[in-house]
Amino acid sequence: MIKEYKRIDLFGKMLFEKALILPPFRAPNPMHNEACFLHVREGRYKSFSENEFLQMHTRQSVLMKCGNYVGQMVSDNRTGQYQAVAVHFHPEVLRKIYGNDLPKFLVNQKKNTPRYNMALIEASIPVDKYVEDVLFYFDNPHLVNEELLCLKTKEIILLLMQTQNATHILQILENLFTERTVDFKTTIAAHIFSEISINELAQLTNLSLSSFKRRFKEIYQLPPQQYILGQRLAKAKDLLQVSDNSIQDIAFATGFKTIHHFSFKFKQRFGTSPSNYRLNFLGK
């Protein structure tokens, strides 16, 4: 549930965004001609791109270039809340901000897109201070003007280029608005053991649900639910043989949301519970 939401626009486009959420909360986040810097102030954020997964904890941030994403908000253990601030980048807005003095990464956008759509930014005092400044303007909107917003946009870009992950950040910035084509099978393989739904997989592949199901069956000869369940159970079976991890950890590692659901499906497929299967295998 969204408890509080505010935004500040610049030149008709969203620039700053502030959200206070009471999880559980998940949402698609398609960005086809924009990019985003997201800073987690409270809780955790899980971001799924076409073939990536990245998790941010409190005070960490992520830079996301244009592409398809699904976001999951996780509550803080102490407060039960999730809170984040985002800065959105639009090519037309950046051109207005910089005029004839565009940064090199915007002038010479790379044709060979990087392997990654996201870059993690570790917690730092300069980023914390920047976010506090942005929150001040949310609380004092009468102080906000175009000149100030332009300066704050330039400031966050300069900060990003000076972070510990600056090399990776620069690769993202140089391809900020260049969409990456990801093979269908690559997306499926990347997320087959993720806590992600069929609807969300369809969104990540940029297909409607019906088109996604047709394409999936053409490639794998099985409906998505049936194929993915089979792969998860097979992986779990292998882990029970070679891993010392708990049954619960194995269930979560293979994409099951609850141990009860995992145990039920495992017994349905293999005729025995996960714990009995492990004991019998070790006994042999």
Side-chain angles (χ1 to χ4, degrees), residues 83-201:
Q83 186 180 176
V85 171
V87 184
H88 292 263
F89 305 108
H90 304 270
E92 60 271 38
V93 172
L94 290 179
R95 286 199 258 315
K96 283 187 178 181
I97 289 174
Y98 285 100
N100 296 323
D101 192 27
L102 281 171
K104 291 181 180 179
F105 71 83
L106 285 175
V107 176
N108 302 312
Q109 290 277 292
K110 302 292 185 182
K111 293 182 179 180
N112 297 321
T113 55
R115 184 180 173 186
Y116 303 105
N117 272 6
M118 302 182 285
L120 178 69
I121 297 126
E122 294 292 351
S124 71
I125 293 174
V127 171
D128 288 345
K129 179 64 171 62
Y130 177 85
V131 172
E132 289 294 336
D133 288 347
V134 171
L135 290 172
F136 174 81
Y137 294 119
F138 274 112
D139 294 335
N140 299 275
H142 61 283
L143 298 177
V144 177
N145 56 55
E146 285 186 358
E147 183 178 2
L148 175 66
L149 295 178
C150 290
L151 288 172
K152 297 305 291 182
T153 304
K154 291 181 178 181
E155 182 183 347
I156 187 58
I157 289 174
L158 288 172
L159 281 176
L160 289 172
M161 296 179 72
Q162 295 173 23
T163 62
Q164 293 179 354
N165 202 10
T167 301
H168 194 175
I169 293 291
L170 183 58
Q171 290 176 348
I172 299 289
L173 288 172
E174 289 175 340
N175 295 272
L176 206 54
F177 305 112
T178 305
E179 287 211 54
R180 199 163 49 104
T181 302
V182 178
D183 177 75
F184 184 92
K185 293 177 72 173
T186 300
T187 297
I188 302 305
H191 296 302
I192 202 162
F193 303 116
S194 300
E195 47 180 304
I196 198 165
S197 69
I198 302 301
N199 283 342
E200 290 167 341
L201 277 175

Side-chain angles (χ1 to χ4, degrees), residues 4 20 30 62 71 75 113 115 133 175 207 234 243 250 262 280:
E4 181 185 2
L20 179 62
V62 61
S75 60
T113 55
R115 184 180 173 186
D133 288 347
N175 295 272
L207 294 171
S243 171
I250 289 174
F262 167 61
N280 289 335

